[in-house]
């Protein structure tokens, strides 16, 4: 039988959700490509929303982490109502939504499409700095470089 004090402690943990780290930005992302960065670099408590496809395990590499994060509609109103500090989107899409958010004073980061590993790692470092998650970004990049180096030529 479980001692009462452990049972109560467990119930208290369930009753109080995790609290966002105030040193990190409250971030939202607009599409599945952009979703991957906050999902990889931030605790779920600091992610206020991802795209619907960010939850799809067939499309999103981090759908398991997205399960703890709400879905936001891809419109300026949703991001404003969610009080995002930063909205991350694609350079290729979301143009109207991101432009509207910028006009309304919301900080926007447009992630460019990258076609080489070096460019992807560079972008990861840039986003890591922006999200105040440099160490995590560096660790992910280092791990990817090691895995790539281990592939026989």
């Amino acid at each position: 039988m479980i001692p009462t004090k452990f049972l109560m402690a467990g119930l208290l943990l369930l009753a109080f959700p995790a609290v966002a780290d105030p040193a990190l930005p409250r971030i939202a992302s607009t599409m599945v490509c952009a979703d991957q960065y906050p999902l990889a670099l931030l605790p779920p408590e600091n992610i206020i929303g991802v795209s619907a496809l960010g939850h799809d395990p067939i499309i999103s590499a981090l759908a398991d982490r997205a399960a703890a994060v709400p879905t936001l509609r891809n419109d300026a109103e949703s991001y404003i109502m969610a009080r995002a500090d930063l909205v991350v989107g694609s350079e290729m899409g979301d143009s109207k939504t991101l432009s509207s958010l910028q006009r309304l004073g919301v900080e926007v980061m447009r992630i460019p499409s990258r076609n080489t590993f070096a460019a992807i790692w560079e972008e990861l470092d840039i986003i890591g700095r922006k999200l105040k998650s440099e160490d995590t970004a560096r660790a992910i990049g280092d791990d990817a470089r090691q895995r790539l180096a281990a592939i026989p030529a």
Side-chain angles (χ1 to χ4, degrees), residues 76 79-80 84-87 98 100-108:
Y79 300 113
I80 296 223
D85 295 323
L86 173 67
V87 177
L98 296 177
S100 295
L101 288 168
Q102 284 179 307
R103 281 194 304 277
L104 294 168
V106 176
E107 187 174 4
V108 167

Side-chain angles (χ1 to χ4, degrees), residues 62-75:
L62 298 173
D64 58 332
R65 289 189 57 119
V69 177
T71 300
L72 287 178
R73 287 183 36 199
N74 189 11
D75 57 45

Side-chain angles (χ1 to χ4, degrees), residues 25-31 33-35 37-38 41-42 79 84-95 97-99 101-102 105-114 120 122-132 137:
R26 290 174 38 88
I27 187 166
S29 52
T30 63
M31 58 189 331
C33 296
D35 293 337
Y37 289 100
L41 297 172
L42 293 174
Y79 300 113
D85 295 323
L86 173 67
V87 177
V88 178
S90 169
E91 187 177 71
M92 303 299 286
D94 307 320
S95 182
T97 298
L98 296 177
S99 294
L101 288 168
Q102 284 179 307
V106 176
E107 187 174 4
V108 167
M109 183 175 199
R110 296 173 192 259
I111 299 174
S113 179
R114 299 296 190 190
I120 291 168
E122 179 183 352
E123 195 64 32
L124 179 62
D125 288 340
I126 291 168
I127 295 168
R129 282 192 301 275
K130 186 70 172 177
L131 301 183
K132 300 178 183 176

